[in-house]
Amino acid sequence: VQLVESGGGLVQPGGSLRLSCAASGFTSSSYAMSWYRQAPGKERELVATITSADDSTNYADSVKGRFTISRDNAKNTVYLQMISLKPEDTAVYYCRALRTYYSGGHYYTDDYWGQGTQVTVSS
């Protein structure tokens, strides 16, 4: 089981980036997929989520209208399109796959994280 993020880099304020999170060893369409970020000296924060049930999406207030999360089930990949980037978007971005299921009278949780990709917004 693996999540591999890519697409990070250095971009000027106002620029755009698209992050990818490629899943292997499991079917990501059965999971709620999320992007988190962690800036130096700060706690990790939830940026965006796409559900498994109906692909509905949720965003942190700080990125609404600028970031879009989507998934391509055929490629087993989740994306984060980021536009109008600001210096405060600078962080390591992490992908997470989460599902809870019921089996044999018990609930189980599968929770996977990627290794992160650096996004730096600076002139």
Side-chain angles (χ1 to χ4, degrees):
V1 171
Q2 197 173 17
L3 291 171
V4 179
E5 300 99 331
S6 61
L10 174 63
V11 63
Q12 292 186 342
S16 302
L17 281 175
R18 189 177 80 156
L19 305 183
S20 299
C21 171
S24 59
F26 68 102
T27 303
S28 62
S29 60
S30 298
Y31 290 68
M33 300 296 294
S34 299
W35 287 95
Y36 287 72
R37 67 185 181 186
Q38 187 166 21
K42 294 188 176 182
E43 293 187 354
R44 191 172 295 188
E45 64 171 344
L46 176 61
V47 174
T49 297
I50 184 165
T51 66
S52 59
D54 57 5
D55 283 354
S56 59
T57 58
N58 289 286
Y59 300 91
D61 287 343
S62 58
V63 307
K64 280 181 181 177
R66 299 189 299 121
F67 290 12
T68 303
I69 187 171
S70 61
R71 63 163 96 222
D72 184 334
N73 293 331
K75 295 183 178 180
N76 215 21
T77 299
V78 175
Y79 303 98
L80 186 67
Q81 178 68 50
M82 306 184 293
I83 66 172
S84 302
L85 283 161
K86 305 174 182 180
E88 50 264 44
D89 295 318
T90 295
V92 177
Y93 283 71
Y94 298 90
C95 179
R96 181 188 191 188
L98 179 67
R99 74 164 181 172
T100 299
Y101 61 97
Y102 184 80
S103 177
H106 299 279
Y107 284 96
Y108 298 88
T109 297
D110 293 331
D111 189 359
Y112 310 128
W113 290 84
Q115 83 291 346
T117 185
Q118 176 70 48
V119 172
T120 302
V121 184
S122 175
S123 55

